Amino acid sequence: MKKLLVTLSLVFCFVSSSIFAAPSLIPTPPQLSASSYILMDAYTGDILVEHNADQALPPASLTKLMTAYIIEYELARGNLSLDDMVNVSEKAWRMEGSRMFIREGTQVKLEDLMRGIIIQSGNDASVAAAEYIAGSESAFADLMNQHAQLLGMTNSHFVNATGFPAEGHYSSAHDIAKLARATILQFPENYSMYAEKEFTYNNIRQPNRNKLLWRDKTVDGMKTGHTDAAGFCLAASAVRNGTRLITVVMGTNSDTARAVESQKLLDYGFRYYETRKLYSRGQVVNNARVWGGSQPNVKVGFAEDVLVTMPRQQGASIPATLDMQEEIMAPIAVGDVLGKIVVGSEGNVLVERSVVALEAVDEGGFFKRMFDKIKLFFMNLF
């Protein structure tokens, strides 16, 4: 690989390089009264704080984040519509615990079931939706586990759609954070439901159990959970000044405690960290030489925005190294990987991303290809 060193002062004129020299400016994270917890940057997936985050625990109604995720997944692919009418079975109607209060033998709009799952934490709504999508709750649980595998949820296994206590039903704070992140990034069109503070169905008004929706105006989701075995759990997300964080707290001792402990993580994360966009999708970082092509150069840049989680510091610039393929031969298709960029200093790499061709380059004519081969041959002799 041929290395091209660049300093990104034009891109990050406000970003600090002093963070590498003074990490002690960030205090020790808060210690929470919880069995397990995690703080994650939603946009980058970086973990800022964790404690027992990969420990398999009963997730209680945090399970319903997966139930809702699958509904949103099917909606996005056109397999479902929010206007679909769902039949309510006896099993769904008889579900105990938190309920939406749907009635056996009736039909309920899927959009109402979504709100019943997300806002009211309805076990009945979850089962009705699961049966509608997969035919039975057990078949839906198999679908849940397939999605968990695709999302990299390596410490999760689901046996029902509700989180009702059952042998072999477990997840982890880290896995729930991955699921929350996927929900936020993949299905933003439905995410506003998670911020709704109440929902009325069948003339029964129920508030969202996420107390942070009232206490912190930057919080806009996501889901609570509670059983005797799981304790009080909360997955929450908030956005401030372009930075979105996700917290998952499991195994606290009260409804109030899960909100208080989650708030500690959010306040710590927003106070000391932020998400910065280093490069934009399609931004050109190099005009690379092409051999044997219909044109002499190809624009090189990024297929997606490049984001990084950084401590809140001020400074001049961050070093970056652009490693390009030494000999780029035509033909080239849009999206072909032509190198990589490494942002940060030695021993403290912030992010590493592939750089790709932003345009296609066809093969040149016969004489152009021959001329370039001869030129390369003599160049490689010296």
Side-chain angles (χ1 to χ4, degrees):
M1 299 287 278
K2 183 180 180 181
K3 291 190 176 183
L4 173 64
L5 297 178
V6 294
T7 299
L8 308 180
S9 55
L10 293 178
V11 180
F12 323 95
C13 58
F14 47 83
V15 179
S16 172
S17 57
S18 64
I19 60 171
F20 306 111
S24 60
L25 293 175
I26 300 176
T28 301
Q31 302 296 305
L32 306 189
S33 297
S35 301
S36 174
Y37 52 85
I38 194 169
L39 173 65
M40 176 185 287
D41 184 319
Y43 295 136
T44 67
D46 289 345
I47 298 172
L48 306 180
V49 180
E50 62 177 322
H51 173 72
N52 293 336
D54 291 314
Q55 182 179 355
L57 296 169
S61 285
L62 297 185
T63 298
K64 296 184 177 85
L65 287 173
M66 178 60 87
T67 302
Y69 174 86
I70 293 175
I71 297 173
E72 293 173 85
Y73 182 91
E74 296 297 330
L75 286 169
R77 279 148 186 79
N79 298 328
L80 299 176
S81 167
L82 288 175
D83 293 325
D84 286 358
M85 299 304 296
V86 178
N87 294 318
V88 179
S89 68
E90 180 181 358
K91 178 182 178 181
W93 171 64
R94 288 187 179 277
M95 287 301 298
E96 299 178 352
S98 54
R99 289 178 290 165
M100 177 183 173
F101 296 103
I102 53 180
R103 290 175 293 191
E104 178 190 4
T106 64
Q107 288 190 321
V108 181
K109 195 189 230 184
L110 183 60
E111 184 173 4
D112 289 336
L113 287 180
M114 275 285 287
R115 286 187 165 86
I117 293 167
I118 293 168
I119 301 168
Q120 298 174 335
S121 197
N123 292 331
D124 50 358
S126 300
V127 171
E131 292 175 337
Y132 180 66
I133 292 171
S136 68
E137 188 179 13
S138 60
F140 186 79
D142 181 62
L143 194 59
M144 296 169 79
N145 289 319
Q146 292 181 49
H147 277 281
Q149 185 175 12
L150 291 173
L151 292 172
M153 299 172 63
T154 56
N155 293 296
S156 296
H157 185 262
F158 301 103
V159 299
N160 59 54
T162 62
F164 209 79
E167 184 178 354
H169 189 98
Y170 56 84
S171 190
S172 68
H174 192 181
D175 281 359
I176 295 296
K178 291 178 182 178
L179 174 58
R181 180 174 184 245
T183 297
I184 293 167
L185 298 184
Q186 293 180 26
F187 312 119
E189 64 278 4
N190 295 316
Y191 183 64
S192 60
M193 282 190 188
Y194 292 85
E196 294 179 18
K197 294 181 178 179
E198 63 179 47
F199 179 53
T200 300
Y201 184 81
N202 199 18
N203 295 319
I204 301 172
R205 173 186 167 275
Q206 295 187 67
N208 196 314
R209 291 168 171 80
N210 182 359
K211 290 185 174 181
L212 290 183
L213 294 175
W214 283 267
R215 297 182 179 186
D216 184 340
K217 64 182 181 180
T218 68
V219 172
D220 56 8
M222 295 187 63
K223 188 74 192 69
T224 60
H226 170 252
T227 62
D228 289 343
F232 290 83
C233 309
L234 175 60
S237 184
V239 60
R240 301 180 193 174
N241 300 317
T243 298
R244 176 177 286 281
L245 299 180
I246 293 168
T247 62
V248 180
V249 174
M250 304 178 73
T252 67
N253 59 18
S254 71
D255 181 17
T256 299
R258 68 185 172 192
V260 170
E261 301 301 271
S262 297
Q263 188 74 67
K264 289 178 185 177
L265 282 181
L266 288 173
D267 289 344
Y268 173 83
F270 284 120
R271 183 172 294 119
Y272 295 106
Y273 293 92
E274 62 183 332
T275 310
R276 293 269 180 93
K277 181 192 284 188
L278 307 187
Y279 299 97
S280 298
R281 177 180 179 179
Q283 181 176 340
V284 178
V285 295
N286 192 26
N287 203 25
R289 178 74 165 90
V290 177
W291 298 96
S294 58
Q295 61 189 54
N297 301 95
V298 60
K299 293 178 180 177
V300 178
F302 299 96
E304 302 293 341
D305 290 345
V306 179
L307 305 174
V308 65
T309 309
M310 297 180 64
R312 290 186 177 276
Q313 304 284 339
Q314 296 297 317
S317 65
I318 294 177
T321 304
L322 181 61
D323 293 349
M324 296 296 301
Q325 291 179 17
E326 191 167 359
E327 296 176 2
I328 299 175
M329 306 295 297
I332 301 168
V334 174
D336 282 354
V337 175
L338 301 179
K340 67 178 180 179
I341 198 162
V342 180
V343 180
S345 61
E346 186 176 355
N348 198 345
V349 174
L350 284 177
V351 65
E352 182 177 314
R353 289 288 185 276
S354 296
V355 291
V356 301
L358 299 177
E359 58 186 343
V361 179
D362 295 328
E363 277 190 328
F366 174 77
F367 291 106
K368 177 66 165 66
R369 297 198 308 272
M370 289 299 296
F371 177 78
D372 279 359
K373 285 182 180 179
I374 294 169
K375 190 174 181 179
L376 267 176
F377 174 78
F378 283 105
M379 286 178 61
N380 290 332
L381 288 179
F382 301 99

